[in-house]
Amino acid sequence: MVASTGTQPPGVQPLVITEWSATTITLARPAISPAGNPLPTVQAYIGLDGEISNVSCNISSYLDGPFDVSTQGRTFTGLAANLTYRIWVQAENTAGCAGQTIIQRTGYYVDHQDGTIYDPYTDLTWAACSCGQDYVAGPPGNCLGSVTPLTYCSEPTNACNGGTNKGLLGPPFPSGVHSQAWNCCDAYSAGGRYDWRVPTVAELATLAVSQASPPNIDHAAFPNTPDDDYWSANSDTYVNAFTVPVGGAQPYSWGKQNNSYPVRCVASGW
C-alpha cells in the first residue's frame, strides 16, 4: 500500500474563546481539520469588528498579528474595554487556505480576582461583594451569603457627616455615635488594601448598566447583588442621607440616617 502524496488544503474548525477581561481576549488553540498537506501555517489576527476584513485570504485593517497559533492559543492584550473585537484565524499551504472568525466584546471592568473590581473609565476600584457577603475566588468569582443592611448613622442628627447638611459621611464621630456603613468600609481589606470608603452618589451612579433591567448592575462583575437601595456617603438634611437604587430608574432617593440599607465599598485608583 502506497501512501498518498497529493496536496490538500487545510480546514479550520469553529473558534473558541476561553476567557476575556476589559483588556484581554484569549483564543483557544484552533482545531485544524483536515490537517492539510503540506502542513499549513496557522495564524491569528485581531481587529475591531466592522474594520478587520478577510478577502480571498488577504486579511487587512487588523490591529495586531499575525501570531502563530499552530501549537497553542493566543491571549490578545492591550485591548480597550467595552469594545467588540473580531479574530480571524487563517490556515494556509500551497494547496489553498481556509479561515474562521469569531467576535468577542471586552469587559467593562477589570476583575482582579481578589474581590475587587476596577473601572478604567472612572479610576475607581469597587468591592465585588456588598457588606455582609463573602467573596469566593474563581474565575469567575462569587459573592456568597446574605447582604447585611447597615445604618448611615446611629443618630439622624448630622452627627456622622460633619455636623452640617449636605456633608459627607466620615469621622470624627461624637461619643456614643457610630456609623455601621462607615465601619464596614473602614475595616474592609479586600485586595490587601485599606483605603475603602462609602461611595458618593455620583460614584454609585456609575455602576448603572442602562441595558439591564433590574437590578441595574453588571452581575458578572458584582454577583448576587440585591435589588435594593444602597447608601451613599452624601447626606441631605440632618435627618436624611441619599441612597442610590440598584435597579430603579431614579438616580437617587432619601433614607432616614438611622435606617438600614446595603453598602458597597469603593476606593480610588487601581
Side-chain angles (χ1 to χ4, degrees):
M1 184 175 181
V2 179
S4 172
T5 58
T7 61
Q8 181 186 39
V12 183
Q13 298 302 304
L15 305 178
V16 176
I17 300 296
T18 57
E19 59 181 309
W20 64 92
S21 71
T23 58
T24 65
I25 297 174
T26 299
L27 173 73
R29 177 186 176 184
I32 307 302
S33 178
N37 185 33
L39 289 178
T41 60
V42 185
Q43 297 180 314
Y45 305 75
I46 190 169
L48 291 173
D49 186 38
E51 295 185 6
I52 186 173
S53 64
N54 186 355
V55 178
S56 300
C57 295
N58 293 310
I59 297 178
S60 61
S61 300
Y62 54 89
L63 296 175
D64 209 0
F67 298 103
D68 180 8
V69 288
S70 59
T71 59
Q72 60 185 1
R74 175 75 190 185
T75 297
F76 298 93
T77 61
L79 308 179
N82 207 32
L83 289 180
T84 301
Y85 289 86
R86 180 178 292 275
I87 295 171
W88 272 101
V89 169
Q90 185 165 284
E92 185 173 7
N93 63 12
T94 56
C97 72
Q100 281 280 4
T101 188
I102 190 170
I103 61 173
Q104 177 63 54
R105 191 174 186 87
T106 48
Y108 186 86
Y109 300 105
V110 178
D111 187 346
H112 289 155
Q113 297 295 324
D114 59 2
T116 68
I117 305 294
Y118 178 67
D119 184 339
Y121 289 96
T122 60
D123 195 31
L124 294 173
T125 295
W126 291 92
C129 303
S130 306
C131 288
Q133 293 179 314
D134 294 316
Y135 176 76
V136 178
N142 200 6
C143 296
L144 302 182
S146 299
V147 174
T148 303
L150 304 173
T151 58
Y152 181 95
C153 191
S154 57
E155 299 291 337
T157 59
N158 279 336
C160 294
N161 48 270
T164 60
N165 292 344
K166 310 297 183 181
L168 288 177
L169 177 65
F173 302 128
S175 177
V177 176
H178 64 275
S179 168
Q180 293 178 340
W182 175 269
N183 289 343
C184 173
C185 294
D186 188 51
Y188 209 63
S189 61
R193 63 191 300 166
Y194 296 91
D195 56 342
W196 297 100
R197 55 184 172 78
V198 180
T200 65
V201 166
E203 289 169 338
L204 275 173
T206 67
L207 295 180
V209 179
S210 59
Q211 64 267 32
S213 179
N216 203 8
I217 197 168
D218 185 339
H219 267 283
F222 306 102
N224 294 324
T225 295
D227 182 13
D228 204 345
D229 286 8
Y230 272 66
W231 275 128
S232 77
N234 296 84
S235 67
D236 177 34
T237 68
Y238 70 92
V239 172
N240 298 323
F242 289 111
T243 61
V244 176
V246 168
Q250 297 180 4
Y252 55 82
S253 55
W254 298 266
K256 194 174 181 180
Q257 292 182 5
N258 58 354
N259 287 349
S260 296
Y261 292 98
V263 174
R264 185 183 306 282
C265 305
V266 72
S268 299
W270 176 270

